[in-house]
Amino acid sequence: KTQSHRPRSRPSALEMRTGARSTGPPATHEPNLSLEADWKVELKVAKAVVEAKGRFLIPEFSSEDDPQVTVINDSNFPEYTSEGFRELARHLQKEVEVQVWPELQRLLQVDFVEAL
């Protein structure tokens, strides 16, 4: 059996990066860049360590617009955790939102974009 082979067109830059090939017409828009950044804060209190964790989700990053962010805080504490430690962890999570997010936003909009 003889099969005819059509020459393949040269893959696009996106196809080269992802390995995906499109069989349809070329895309009319640029792909979106989504980012996730996990964070963790540990605070020593006497002999104990209070830990707060979370994640910043940026579903669509653009160098031209302020990125919309979703902050997810890990609120799963062991059942034996005291209410004081829970409250302290929630306070740490809030401080991360207030102090770290503006710095991460600056890093993305200035340093990251300049590096591109």
Side-chain angles (χ1 to χ4, degrees):
K1 240 182 183 181
T2 311
Q3 292 182 350
S4 64
H5 292 283
R6 288 186 358 210
R8 289 182 66 167
S9 62
R10 186 167 184 241
S12 70
L14 177 63
E15 291 169 341
M16 291 174 70
R17 285 194 304 267
T18 63
R21 294 279 303 185
S22 172
T23 57
T28 58
H29 66 281
E30 291 292 319
N32 295 331
L33 175 64
S34 62
L35 302 169
E36 294 181 10
D38 293 328
W39 57 266
K40 177 178 170 180
V41 175
E42 293 180 343
L43 176 67
K44 285 188 122 182
V45 179
K47 294 181 179 182
V49 175
V50 179
E51 186 178 273
K53 296 186 272 185
R55 173 179 286 173
F56 292 114
L57 296 176
I58 303 167
E60 188 172 329
F61 177 75
S62 167
S63 61
E64 299 167 0
D65 302 322
D66 285 341
Q68 299 298 312
V69 65
T70 301
V71 180
I72 300 172
N73 292 320
D74 184 1
S75 59
N76 295 325
F77 299 105
E79 60 185 51
Y80 57 82
T81 305
S82 71
E83 188 54 39
F85 270 61
R86 290 173 195 253
E87 185 60 34
L88 183 55
R90 285 190 287 266
H91 179 74
L92 288 172
Q93 290 169 337
K94 188 65 178 169
E95 286 301 308
V96 167
E97 287 180 46
V98 171
Q99 294 184 26
V100 174
W101 169 241
E103 180 61 21
L104 181 59
Q105 188 175 25
R106 184 204 61 76
L107 176 80
L108 291 171
Q109 289 180 323
V110 177
D111 299 344
F112 182 71
V113 171
E114 284 178 6
L116 291 177

